[in-house]
Amino acid sequence: MERRPHIHCPLCAWEPRPDSRWRCTPGEPGSGCGAVWNTFWTAGCCPGCGHHWAMTQCLSCRRASPHEAWYHFPPPEGGEARETKEALETAG
Ligand SMILES: [Zn+2]
Ligand SMILES: [Zn+2]
């Protein structure tokens, strides 16, 4: 079974479309080649310069969020959704 995450802006719930485009701007160190592409096809990786974008700007509310925050996986069936990720990351 294939479980696809639902992709939308974590701030305003705007959903990217297949024809949505992002531009590689000098917003992060090592970026700014000017390539235009759909960032969700490459998981935030610029096809022009190979820069991996940590932040993705919403084309609707214009606010940037971590790229991984755009992916909303469905909760597991038959169980409560537990968020233990933060607890694991704080170790060390
Ligand atoms: Zn938004
Ligand atoms: Zn680039």
Side-chain angles (χ1 to χ4, degrees), residues 12-34:
C12 74
W14 173 78
E15 300 179 20
R17 297 180 180 181
D19 61 347
S20 298
R21 292 292 182 270
W22 283 257
R23 186 180 184 188
C24 186
T25 60
E28 295 183 358
S31 65
C33 71

Side-chain angles (χ1 to χ4, degrees), residues 19-69:
D19 61 347
S20 298
R21 292 292 182 270
W22 283 257
R23 186 180 184 188
C24 186
T25 60
E28 295 183 358
S31 65
C33 71
V36 178
W37 84 109
N38 187 320
T39 191
F40 290 100
W41 292 351
T42 61
C45 184
C46 174
C49 65
H51 178 76
H52 191 270
W53 283 85
M55 304 293 286
T56 296
Q57 186 182 27
C58 176
L59 300 184
S60 179
C61 69
R62 316 295 294 181
R63 295 171 68 182
S65 301
H67 188 79
E68 61 183 13

Side-chain angles (χ1 to χ4, degrees), residues 64-82:
S65 301
H67 188 79
E68 61 183 13
W70 285 69
Y71 297 83
H72 303 266
F73 291 89
E77 297 179 3
E80 296 181 358
R82 295 180 180 178

